[in-house]
Structure formats: structure tokens, C-alpha cells
Amino acid sequence: YGQLEWKPAPRWRLTGGLRSEQREARYRDSDASDFAPRDRMLGGHLAAEFAPAPGRTAYLTLSRGYKAGGFNIGALVPDDRRLFDPEFLRSAELGLRLQRADGRASLDLALFHMRRAELQVSTSAQLDPGNPLSFIFLTDNAASGENQGAELAASFRPTATLRLAATLGLLRTRYIDYRSGARDLDGRDQAHAPRSQYSLTLEYRRPRGLYARADLQGVDAFFYSESHDQRSRPNRLLNLRAGYDGGRWDASLWVRNALDADPAQRGFFFGNEPPDFADKLYVQPGDPRQAGFTFTFDLR
């Protein structure tokens, strides 16, 4: 790995980096599985940054990244799906950062476009429709994929003790020339890729004494998997905390998921219930509402 930085002018900075990696693994078990994948991967980036004034920065980054390949283990995994290849990513990002001199307000905006080759997907399959014990999880390669979107983050302090913050993410993804068995997923959204996400934060804090914070997070619906077309529902999570900072000690009451929402983390669609073993959606839920008290003391 190596990186160079050059400042051709007072307001400009150019950087470039290059990374080369070889990764090897060896696996052998009592089921006669024996393989030793070896991946050679090359990545790097070029970035240009322009700062016309203090607290104002614009940048453009071009990069190539990678994720090593690997293997799937398990007696039921078919031989032709044991190994999966490395994934490679080419991306371009254009961004702007603004910050007031007094630090009371900031704004970050980024636009990005990504092209993924040999896209790695976490998927599942039921090899025998009448046998739920034949349900397997594995990592596979899609042909390619495309991601593009925008991210926005803003923060504002109307007073010395009050802070407001918000984030917004917009995302559009799709598979390109990807078939999974008899399923043609060309153009469909990628799994676990909601088209929008947001967060809102309201915080009150003094250097020492009472403090309180509320965080609201929202996530749009998303596909659970490449192996089926079931989707989650949009959800919102509200987390609350209030306490007292005594310097060397801190005591707080908190509530996570205060609205007692039921966000789904993963969803599986397969036949598991006799007598006909019809395909059915099974959802792994997130944590329910939780409340607690935390006390810390610094012995130093």
C-alpha cells in the first residue's frame, strides 16, 4: 500500500493511493471438501480537494475497491456453489463540506455513483421443496450491480446548550444481468438497500449538569433477499436518554425503541410447515422497547 499527496496551489490538494493484496485460504473437512482459493486484488484512489475559503471544501474522488472471495461450507451446499469470487467496485463521489467559523453550523453533501462487478450476495435456497431441512444459506456472485444516490448531513447549534442535527440518504440500486436459478433479477433493487433513510437529533447538554437527547431514525422498505421478492415495511425508531453529568460520575435513564416499533432485520421465504410445505415469510425482528438506568464513575 502506498499514498502520495501533492499541493499544486494553496487551495488545492491532490492525493493518490494504490493497494495490492493477495489472499489465500485452505479448507478441508471429513466430507471430502478440499479447496484453497487464492485471490489477487488491486485497488486505489485519486482525489482532488479545493478549499476556496476557510470552512468551505469541495472534492472529487475516483476509487477502485475490492472484497475478497471465499467459500461456503456445509454438507448440503452444491459443489458448483462452494466457491465465490472477489467483488470489485468502481466509484465516483462529488462532495461539498461547509462549516461556520464559530462551529455552530455545518453541512455535508455528497453525490455518488458505484459500479460493482462480480457482486457478492448473501442468499438462501431450499434444495428440496418438501424438505425444510434442505434450506441453506450461502454467499454467491451476481453478475454486476449499480448503486447511486446522495447523502446529506446537517448540524446547527441555536444556543450553546442546544444542538439540532439531521441526515438524509437517498439510494437507487439495481442488479445487472443477474439470474438466480430460474429468477431473472436484471434491474431489480439489491437486497437490504432501502431507497431512503433519515435521522433527526435533538440534544440539550451543559458542560456539567443535566442533559437530554432524542434520536429518531427512519428506514424505507427494502428487499430481504435475492432468493425471493418479499419486502420489509418502512419503520421508525425513537431512542431517548436523559441524565446528569457530575464530572467524575454520570447517571442516565434511557429508552431504546420508545415507540415499540417492530422493525424487521431479515426475512426468509421457504416451505417449513406440513402438510403441503407452502412457501411462507419468516421474519427476524429487531429488539423491542427497552428501558434502563446507567451509572458510571471515573476512579482516576
Side-chain angles (χ1 to χ4, degrees), residues 59-72:
Y59 66 89
L60 172 65
T61 301
L62 305 175
S63 61
R64 184 180 194 263
Y66 56 79
K67 184 192 300 184
F71 47 84
N72 299 298

Side-chain angles (χ1 to χ4, degrees), residues 22-295:
Q22 177 173 296
R23 182 171 299 185
E24 301 179 32
R26 181 66 185 268
Y27 180 83
R28 179 184 299 166
D29 64 22
S30 58
D31 293 329
S33 296
D34 188 355
F35 35 82
R38 174 184 298 177
D39 299 326
R40 293 185 177 92
M41 297 161 291
L42 184 68
H45 74 277
L46 294 172
E49 186 177 287
F50 176 62
R56 299 181 182 180
T57 303
Y59 66 89
L60 172 65
T61 301
L62 305 175
S63 61
R64 184 180 194 263
Y66 56 79
K67 184 192 300 184
F71 47 84
N72 299 298
I73 59 176
L76 297 178
V77 178
D79 290 340
D80 62 348
R81 305 182 77 175
R82 289 282 186 182
L83 301 177
F84 55 91
D85 296 325
E87 176 184 335
F88 293 93
L89 170 71
R90 294 183 311 225
S91 68
E93 181 174 329
L94 178 65
L96 178 67
R97 302 189 188 102
L98 303 175
Q99 184 172 13
R100 283 182 43 163
D102 58 8
R104 291 180 57 185
S106 65
L107 177 68
D108 292 346
L109 173 65
L111 306 175
F112 61 87
H113 180 87
M114 304 177 181
R115 187 66 179 247
R116 304 170 67 180
E118 296 298 331
L119 190 155
Q120 293 179 8
V121 294
S122 298
T123 187
S124 60
Q126 186 163 337
L127 306 179
D128 181 354
N131 181 8
L133 297 180
S134 68
F135 189 79
I136 60 172
F137 301 97
L138 69 158
T139 300
D140 204 355
N141 290 106
S144 59
E146 190 175 67
N147 299 15
Q148 57 189 0
E151 295 179 342
L152 175 70
S155 178
F156 176 59
R157 290 185 177 274
T159 68
T161 58
L162 189 64
R163 184 176 75 93
L164 307 174
T167 66
L168 175 65
L170 302 176
L171 178 65
R172 181 68 172 91
T173 68
R174 67 187 181 106
Y175 294 112
I176 301 174
D177 298 328
Y178 178 38
R179 296 188 65 88
S180 178
R183 290 168 47 76
D184 185 358
L185 297 178
D186 183 40
R188 204 205 76 171
D189 287 5
Q190 297 167 21
H192 291 273
R195 293 196 173 190
S196 65
Q197 300 182 70
Y198 67 88
S199 71
L200 300 171
T201 298
L202 174 61
E203 182 178 27
Y204 172 83
R205 179 178 287 274
R206 303 177 64 87
R208 182 175 297 185
L210 292 173
Y211 63 87
R213 175 170 175 151
D215 293 283
L216 179 65
Q217 302 171 354
V219 179
D220 200 0
F222 57 83
F223 286 99
Y224 286 120
S225 174
E226 294 76 16
S227 60
H228 57 81
D229 290 324
Q230 301 296 311
R231 299 178 54 156
S232 72
R233 293 178 298 177
N235 67 79
R236 293 176 299 170
L237 289 177
L238 176 64
N239 299 322
L240 305 172
R241 179 181 290 269
Y244 190 91
D245 183 355
R248 295 184 59 186
W249 61 274
D250 185 283
S252 64
L253 292 170
W254 49 265
V255 181
R256 300 192 186 107
N257 191 6
L259 301 176
D260 201 21
D262 56 348
Q265 296 180 329
R266 298 196 66 184
F268 311 96
F269 190 67
F270 65 105
N272 187 51
E273 300 176 16
D276 53 356
F277 293 98
D279 287 342
K280 179 179 177 180
L281 177 64
Y282 299 90
V283 174
Q284 177 185 348
D287 293 331
R289 179 165 51 211
Q290 302 175 69
F293 173 77
T294 300
F295 179 83

